[in-house]
Amino acid sequence: MRHALRAEDLSFPERAQVRLDFHHRIARPPQAVFAILADHEEWPRWFKDLKRVEVLGPAGKGVGARRRVWLGPLALEERFIAWEPGSRFSFTMVGANLPALAAMLEDWQLSPAEGGAACQVDYTVAMDLPAMLRLTRHVLPMPLRLVLGKVLPSLAAYATRR
């Protein structure tokens, strides 16, 4: 990765320049949804704009695990900062092939719904932009919201087919 990103912690969404929140109920229990999230290689099957996922290093699961993802022309290296089976799956970006971001974090929180037969998913994407792109922070969320807004419905459809 040519461009290092500032690693962030779980408090980052509260102070990020851009924050996008998505919520969706999935008709599968939290453990089942977490298992889908933890299966790195399956992500392109339900996250349609994600082209490829590569686990980096021998430990592909848990806090500290790393992976590289390709989203169109953008490649991002991610490091996991929360790995709580059935409840939380979070990572911070630590590198990118393009200078499009200064920092980014994704936080997936899962909670039981309908007596545990379903799962409420709260998905937050937070980012800071480099100085050259900061003026776009009010415009950037619109197309990004359209792309990321499809992720949870797609995950729900995939989860119910499994």
Side-chain angles (χ1 to χ4, degrees), residues 109-125:
Q109 294 188 52
L110 315 175
S111 55
E114 300 171 23
C119 177
Q120 174 65 36
V121 181
D122 299 309
Y123 170 46
T124 299
V125 177

Side-chain angles (χ1 to χ4, degrees), residues 23-114:
H23 312 281
H24 200 84
R25 187 160 293 190
I26 297 177
R28 300 282 285 136
Q31 290 290 352
V33 174
F34 189 91
I36 293 169
L37 293 174
D39 189 348
H40 304 295
E41 289 79 19
E42 289 294 306
W43 277 57
R45 291 181 184 257
W46 56 268
F47 194 129
K48 299 301 182 188
D49 291 306
L50 194 64
K51 301 305 175 205
R52 192 169 121 215
V53 178
E54 174 188 359
V55 174
L56 303 173
K61 302 190 183 303
V63 172
R66 295 176 311 120
R67 69 182 185 181
R68 185 169 295 135
V69 300
W70 283 263
L71 192 63
L74 184 62
L76 295 163
E77 186 174 324
E78 305 166 338
R79 183 171 38 87
F80 285 87
I81 57 174
W83 190 284
E84 301 167 19
S87 65
R88 198 167 202 179
F89 184 90
S90 308
F91 46 88
T92 183
M93 299 348 173
V94 295
N97 65 332
L98 301 172
L101 299 164
M104 184 172 172
L105 177 134
E106 289 190 25
D107 187 21
W108 299 75
Q109 294 188 52
L110 315 175
S111 55
E114 300 171 23

Side-chain angles (χ1 to χ4, degrees), residues 2-23:
R2 285 179 269 163
H3 303 281
L5 275 68
R6 187 179 70 246
E8 289 291 349
D9 62 25
L10 293 172
S11 68
F12 180 58
E14 301 307 319
R15 62 182 186 283
Q17 293 169 354
V18 177
R19 177 182 173 153
L20 303 171
D21 292 293
F22 305 92
H23 312 281

